Amino acid sequence: MAPESRTVETNLSRVLSSGGFAVTGELGPPKGADPAVVRDKARLLRGSVDAVNITDNQTAVVRMSSIAAAALARDEGLEPVVQMTTRDRNRLAIQADLLGAWALGLRNVLCLTGDHQTFGNHPTAKNVWDIDSIQLVKLLAEMRDQGVFANGEALEGDPPRFFVGAVESPFADPVAYRPFRVAKKVRAGAEFLQTQCIYNMEKFREFMARLGDLGVLDKVHVMAGLSPLKGPGMAKYMRDNVPGIDMPDEVVERMTAAGAGIDDKAERQKAWRAEGIRLCVEQIQQVREIPGVAGVHVMAIEWEEAVRPIVEGAGLLPRPEPLGAAAEG
Amino acid sequence: MIVAEQKPVAKILEMAAGAQTALVLGCGTCVTVCFAGGDKEAEILASALRMKARLDGRELDAAHLTVQRQCEWEYLDTAADRIRQADVVVSLGCGVGAQAIVERFPEARMVPGLDTRFYGLPTRHGVWEERCAGCGDCVLDYTDGICPVARCSKSLLNGPCGGSHDGKCEVDDAIPCAWHEIVERLTSRGELERLAEVHEPKNWRAARDGGPGRIVREDLVRDAQDGAGT
Ligand code: SF4
Ligand code: SF4
């Protein structure tokens, strides 16, 4: 259970602190300005998750602003978690944008470093990183608890009291350092933590045990990140190319086997996807058994329709009745 | 040292359009050591410019000369006549040396022959790596001698991002992850606890973000004035 904090209650914080097993999803805003794209994705997720992360220029590709998309999703009855990276904005812009997010009724923020801009679609851009993700957590915690800006100056009126989240990649190098980094984020004021996608349950169990040793599990709600696989290609790509992903060969083999002997391309794809959903359901059941895991963060990127069957298959429906769309502030 | 790379000959010729005489001015300090703008490179570039110009059907009388340090006016003064005579001076100094030329000789036309890249050191023959970004607020005590500002692609101050893998940075496998190295070094010295507390946001004003840097040493200024008075 997280300690008493001055955070305003959000749907997500309420489910987590009531000891319920929370479910969050992910919604990537479009590479364009059409609000209908956000609304459609939001409708696919509504009722299956307690809150949904709205990504912030994910993989350094320009997309609709996370705060604007979060407001659209909120209007569709979803509770957003606004992702904020420190790649694109300095401390002035971050604070200004988050004051605006609060004014719009958005209450959860997830603090991230962000992928380097050379990966994205504007690789010649200048980056910012005026502050890092841990400093951002601390900034928001101080805004919440002391009503001050990063410079220590009091802000006018009631300060934003966001439910502050952080992320960790349990298997990224240097691996032994990762639990220590979680402890640092908790010390900075993180109240919930979402992890990078987990496929190696054995190692994840060890990671969680280490967090227990460090005494942080009673201070932060840890949500295991899970991402359903669309096929063996995705599994191999993640195994070989994505830092911090520990993809056991059994998983790749299982996905490959699911399509074996099916000649029709569409049928094969269907079989893969069904297997991906089944695997994800099993993973949820496995992480639920691990002490300290308070929920799952299901990242079905460009596959939002997978979330309902996954959550349903894991026996996690119906979700607790959400708080009013616009939380009281 | 300051590490730089030469621009392509075609690019230099393009920048020097219209000139009939050129002085390729080398520098005997940092850029000599990194094989970008020393006397040898100046000589080779002058001859390459002459040849390429001829191939392009253009006359360019390019000569070379090297001063010990382009970034100090008194050394530039030793080349004053040659600088004044040339239609264009191709500076093979770093960005500081190149600007010193026009500050000292406002009538000269100067084009940069180098791209100045970073402060670094040779890690093996033919390889130079960045080590310092001149941030004006050194934190090498905190990280035990490995610079997170210049050597972490994101200038993070609180540990590695999630992109670190096998000791490499997410940006490029050729870049060692500075935070991996910091964590390893502190671990081996039993000092990892140093990273436990959150490092506050950095004072970037001490460098570029505070406007162009300027250091005034009153004692030296005074000495110089006293000296002038006697
Ligand atoms: S901390 Fe600043 S001054 Fe020190 S080495 Fe790094 S960039 Fe240079
Ligand atoms: S991988 Fe390492 S060097 Fe590269 S940005 Fe991340 S922490 Fe910095």
Side-chain angles (χ1 to χ4, degrees):
Chain A
M1 209 89 347
E4 210 47 60
S5 88
R6 311 234 221 133
T7 304
V8 70
E9 188 171 65
T10 72
N11 196 41
L12 179 60
S13 72
R14 191 184 47 129
V15 175
L16 285 168
S17 43
S18 69
F21 195 75
V23 181
T24 49
E26 191 144 306
L27 188 160
K31 284 167 79 173
D34 184 0
V37 179
V38 178
R39 293 195 185 110
D40 290 348
K41 286 185 176 184
R43 269 184 234 117
L44 286 171
L45 293 166
R46 189 169 53 202
S48 307
V49 295
D50 302 312
V52 61
N53 287 26
I54 313 291
T55 54
D56 176 19
N57 283 347
Q58 196 173 9
T59 61
V61 170
V62 175
R63 293 169 179 276
M64 182 189 291
S65 111
S66 61
I67 291 171
L72 292 168
R74 190 266 323 271
D75 292 346
E76 287 302 315
L78 271 180
E79 180 173 278
V81 177
V82 174
Q83 293 199 0
M84 177 62 73
T85 75
T86 60
R87 175 193 54 226
D88 306 327
R89 299 169 184 83
N90 67 7
R91 60 191 95 166
L92 279 78
I94 287 177
Q95 293 179 98
D97 283 357
L98 288 176
L99 292 181
W102 182 266
L104 290 170
L106 309 172
R107 297 292 180 260
N108 305 302
V109 175
L110 187 77
C111 307
L112 305 104
T113 306
D115 294 326
H116 198 267
Q117 77 281 0
T118 51
F119 290 113
N121 63 353
H122 290 72
T124 58
K126 191 175 197 293
N127 61 41
V128 182
W129 283 303
D130 171 26
I131 57 175
D132 59 36
S133 60
I134 298 181
Q135 291 163 343
L136 176 55
V137 167
K138 186 152 183 265
L139 184 163
L140 291 176
E142 286 172 355
M143 193 178 269
R144 172 188 77 205
D145 300 335
Q146 297 160 31
V148 294
F149 288 112
N151 62 358
E153 192 182 305
L155 53 84
E156 292 168 13
D158 273 347
R161 299 189 306 281
F162 288 110
F163 188 44
V164 181
V167 296
E168 192 50 78
S169 188
F171 313 134
D173 291 320
V175 173
Y177 183 73
R178 296 292 158 179
F180 194 81
R181 188 166 181 255
V182 172
K184 189 167 187 173
K185 290 186 172 190
V186 172
R187 204 169 299 120
E191 296 163 284
F192 70 101
L193 184 97
Q194 293 173 330
T195 74
Q196 169 67 292
C197 319
I198 309 297
Y199 294 98
N200 187 330
M201 288 302 153
E202 211 35 64
K203 284 211 192 147
F204 183 57
R205 218 167 270 130
E206 287 164 22
F207 170 79
M208 289 300 297
R210 190 78 188 94
L211 292 189
D213 298 343
L214 290 172
V216 297
L217 287 179
D218 53 350
K219 302 195 183 82
V220 68
H221 305 288
V222 179
M223 305 183 70
L226 298 173
S227 185
L229 294 166
K230 292 177 181 170
M234 177 177 170
K236 282 183 208 148
Y237 179 84
M238 290 180 100
R239 179 188 64 192
D240 302 335
N241 298 297
V242 185
I245 297 284
D246 185 320
M247 176 73 69
D249 286 331
E250 303 94 82
V251 173
V252 179
E253 284 155 21
R254 179 169 164 182
M255 290 306 295
T256 309
I262 306 175
D263 293 332
D264 183 75
K265 206 173 150 202
E267 284 302 314
R268 193 167 58 230
Q269 204 180 58
K270 238 165 93 185
W272 280 335
R273 289 187 173 213
E275 189 67 9
I277 287 175
R278 258 195 304 278
L279 177 67
C280 195
V281 167
E282 290 169 27
Q283 288 171 329
I284 293 180
Q285 283 152 353
Q286 288 164 343
V287 297
R288 277 192 89 165
E289 301 299 315
I290 300 176
V293 176
V296 281
H297 176 53
V298 182
M299 291 166 269
I301 296 141
E302 298 305 318
W303 191 19
E304 286 78 10
E305 56 275 29
V307 174
R308 175 160 280 275
I310 289 168
V311 178
E312 187 164 32
L316 293 171
L317 287 187
R319 300 308 309 149
E321 193 56 38
L323 290 176
E328 86 285 9
Chain B
M1 71 170 104
I2 293 179
V3 182
E5 280 178 307
Q6 227 176 75
K7 287 178 182 282
V9 174
K11 173 72 188 171
I12 296 172
L13 264 185
E14 190 188 310
M15 292 189 297
Q20 278 164 2
T21 60
L23 174 66
V24 177
L25 190 63
C27 173
T29 308
C30 305
V31 293
T32 293
V33 188
C34 68
F35 301 97
D39 195 50
K40 190 156 150 252
E41 290 76 31
E43 181 179 4
I44 295 169
L45 179 63
S47 110
L49 287 172
R50 286 191 301 269
M51 272 188 316
K52 176 86 171 97
R54 204 168 311 130
L55 284 173
D56 294 353
R58 172 176 158 197
E59 263 321 307
L60 182 66
D61 179 8
H64 79 281
L65 179 70
T66 299
V67 295
Q68 192 178 337
R69 272 207 285 286
Q70 273 188 35
C71 59
E72 288 189 58
W73 290 326
E74 62 220 72
Y75 290 102
L76 280 177
D77 286 345
T78 63
D81 292 343
R82 301 280 300 277
I83 290 172
R84 290 201 181 100
Q85 280 154 20
D87 290 346
V88 66
V89 178
V90 177
S91 168
L92 286 191
C94 69
V96 181
Q99 294 178 67
I101 295 171
V102 299
E103 279 175 62
R104 192 61 163 175
F105 305 101
E107 68 280 25
R109 175 181 169 202
M110 185 283 302
V111 298
L114 299 185
D115 288 316
T116 304
R117 296 288 306 277
F118 49 80
Y119 308 150
L121 54 74
T123 49
R124 53 194 172 96
H125 194 67
V127 178
W128 290 266
E129 291 183 14
E130 184 164 2
R131 288 293 180 263
C132 173
C135 77
D137 177 24
C138 194
V139 298
L140 287 177
D141 56 323
Y142 162 63
T143 54
D144 209 14
I146 299 167
C147 175
V149 179
R151 296 167 68 179
C152 163
S153 299
K154 302 175 184 173
S155 297
L156 304 177
L157 287 176
N158 279 295
C161 75
S164 180
H165 61 284
D166 307 319
K168 307 293 182 207
C169 173
E170 71 174 23
V171 169
D172 191 324
D173 279 352
I175 303 172
C177 169
W179 273 106
H180 187 105
E181 295 186 0
I182 293 166
V183 167
E184 291 225 309
R185 182 166 164 84
L186 290 177
T187 305
S188 72
R189 292 166 75 90
E191 293 188 25
L192 197 61
E193 278 303 316
R194 252 191 218 198
L195 302 182
E197 288 307 317
V198 179
H199 193 286
E200 290 297 317
K202 200 161 161 39
N203 171 20
W204 299 109
R205 186 169 66 176
R208 264 294 311 154
D209 299 279
R214 184 161 195 263
I215 293 173
V216 180
R217 278 273 304 271
E218 292 296 353
D219 54 335
L220 297 179
V221 173
R222 236 182 353 258
D223 284 357
Q225 276 163 355
D226 293 351
T230 52

